[in-house]
Amino acid sequence: MPKFPSKVLDGVTYDMTHLDALTIDVEFEGETFRTLIHFSCHCFTEKFDAAAHHVDVRYSFAGETRAFCVDRHALSAALPQYFQTLGNQTVYHTQKESFFFIRTAAADGGSVPYVVFFRSYKSNQDGVDVVINVSSAYPKPGMTSWASPVKFPRMVMARAKDRVLPLRPATKIKRA
């Protein structure tokens, strides 16, 4: 599991321990599913562009070089709590086999939709039923308003039992 090294930028040390893996229990219809959640460096970095970024913002992890983003790092502090408090809330299918949910976050003096993208898998680890990989999280003002919903616990149960979740008709996205 990823353990991200801290980033020092302009004399400030940005700690990453808030993105250490966490385990939550998700209940669905009387069953409890142990769910391991881990995060990718895309939660606090963006694509590195040599023309747009200073070399000091480079962040390399697991063979990938990206640009450390102070704003994404600040927003990522809430990611563990978002998953711990998802409860019976709705998440949405993307066009692929991943999911997302949206929270409203303070950024640039206002509020923006903060979108959290993740994939889920049946676990092959003892004591864990499902693994969730948070592939990315960032402000996305132009995020779609319609998507196929599924309750988070139902999605976890389906993954734990290796079931395919059918895409449901798109509905208006609820933003928390």
Side-chain angles (χ1 to χ4, degrees):
M1 269 165 268
K3 287 270 192 190
F4 303 111
S6 297
K7 174 69 176 171
V8 177
L9 186 63
D10 296 328
V12 177
T13 300
Y14 295 90
D15 182 68
M16 306 296 174
T17 56
H18 65 283
L19 294 176
D20 288 351
L22 72 134
T23 305
I24 62 173
D25 289 329
V26 178
E27 294 184 21
F28 182 77
E29 295 182 348
E31 291 185 81
T32 301
F33 301 98
R34 196 87 173 133
T35 305
L36 175 65
I37 301 166
H38 53 90
F39 304 91
S40 83
C41 69
H42 290 226
C43 295
F44 59 89
T45 63
E46 59 191 12
K47 182 178 179 181
F48 183 80
D49 178 352
H53 292 108
H54 191 275
V55 70
D56 290 348
V57 300
R58 280 183 188 228
Y59 190 93
S60 295
F61 186 81
E64 184 175 20
T65 298
R66 294 185 47 90
F68 178 79
C69 177
V70 173
D71 293 335
R72 280 191 183 192
H73 177 267
L75 291 168
S76 75
L79 284 171
Q81 181 184 10
Y82 290 158
F83 279 94
Q84 290 167 336
T85 59
L86 259 175
N88 196 37
Q89 294 180 38
T90 300
V91 297
Y92 300 90
H93 281 274
T94 65
Q95 295 297 328
K96 300 177 182 161
E97 266 302 300
S98 58
F99 298 87
F100 69 93
F101 61 86
I102 301 174
R103 295 292 177 264
T104 300
D108 298 327
S111 60
V112 296
Y114 181 62
V115 186
V116 180
F117 295 95
F118 64 95
R119 288 184 175 266
S120 57
Y121 308 92
K122 179 176 177 54
S123 177
N124 59 7
Q125 300 176 41
D126 288 338
V128 176
D129 301 301
V130 174
V131 175
I132 290 178
N133 176 27
V134 181
S135 51
S136 194
Y138 56 93
K140 188 167 177 144
M143 187 62 189
T144 185
S145 295
W146 295 82
S148 176
V150 62
K151 294 290 186 182
F152 181 66
R154 180 176 293 283
M155 184 273 310
V156 169
M157 176 277 302
R159 290 302 190 243
K161 296 185 177 196
D162 213 14
R163 295 182 184 161
V164 175
L165 280 169
L167 281 174
R168 299 178 65 205
T171 62
K172 183 90 169 151
I173 293 175
K174 295 175 188 167
R175 298 169 192 259

